[in-house]
Amino acid sequence: MRTGRRAAWLVAFAPTLAPIGFAHAAGAPDIPPQEIRIIGESGEVARRKPASEVEAYCLNIADKAQDARYALEQKQLTELETEIGKQIDALEAKRKDYQEWLEERNRFLDSASTIIVDIYAKMKPDAAAAQLAKLELDAAASVIARLKARQASDILSAMPPATAAEIANRIVEKTSAGGSVEEKQVAESKS
């Protein structure tokens, strides 16, 4: 019963208490200050004479000030729209780079046919290492990348260390997300 009276009291006096912030604290929306209108005997709204020079000045520049606020807000919105457009363009460029990297990666992994991979998988590691070491780096790396991890490690360990390192480096470049266009650009800028 007591909370019902409190709620009724809040509903009844919220408009009165709004200017002092009570309604805002209770979660009600802010209500802008209301303009006092004086209606004459003819039914038309009569203009109230300003009480002071300050009030007269404020009334005279109210429209200009509002126009200036709107112009400033419009300028800020335009700047934000431009900035968002730039960010969207940057994201599109990154998406395109990633798409190109993904296509290159898939081409790399698909370049070793299943038959060749099966042949090297059934060979002894030292024989496979000798043959793969003589292949082009991309082809050898593609074959090794498609082998099981245990077979690939046995073959790489049977190769000369420099060749194994080059092939492993090629596999990392082609298959890891870090081997994208950006990494290549950084490497080129250092040299």
Side-chain angles (χ1 to χ4, degrees), residues 96-185:
K96 183 180 176 189
D97 288 346
Y98 181 74
Q99 189 70 31
E100 290 172 0
W101 170 83
L102 187 62
E103 289 171 2
E104 180 182 342
R105 178 183 181 273
N106 289 337
R107 275 193 310 272
F108 169 75
L109 290 176
D110 292 340
S111 66
S113 70
T114 307
I115 296 170
I116 297 295
V117 172
D118 288 342
I119 290 171
Y120 281 106
K122 293 178 182 177
M123 290 176 76
K124 291 184 180 180
D126 55 342
Q131 289 184 13
L132 286 173
K134 293 181 181 180
L135 287 178
E136 181 188 345
L137 283 179
D138 279 343
S142 179
V143 169
I144 290 177
R146 295 194 55 196
L147 290 172
K148 291 180 181 175
R150 179 68 184 185
Q151 291 170 331
S153 66
D154 289 343
I155 291 172
L156 285 174
S157 65
M159 284 184 178
T163 306
E166 288 178 21
I167 290 174
N169 187 34
R170 189 63 54 101
I171 291 170
V172 170
E173 283 178 4
K174 298 289 185 174
T175 59
S176 70
S180 64
V181 175
E182 293 175 16
E183 191 172 289
K184 292 175 188 173
Q185 290 172 348

Side-chain angles (χ1 to χ4, degrees), residues 39-45:
I39 300 177
E41 291 180 15
S42 63
E44 293 182 14
V45 176

Side-chain angles (χ1 to χ4, degrees), residues 54-68:
V54 173
E55 189 176 353
Y57 175 77
C58 290
L59 288 174
N60 286 336
I61 67 163
D63 290 337
K64 292 177 186 176
Q66 189 172 12
D67 290 344

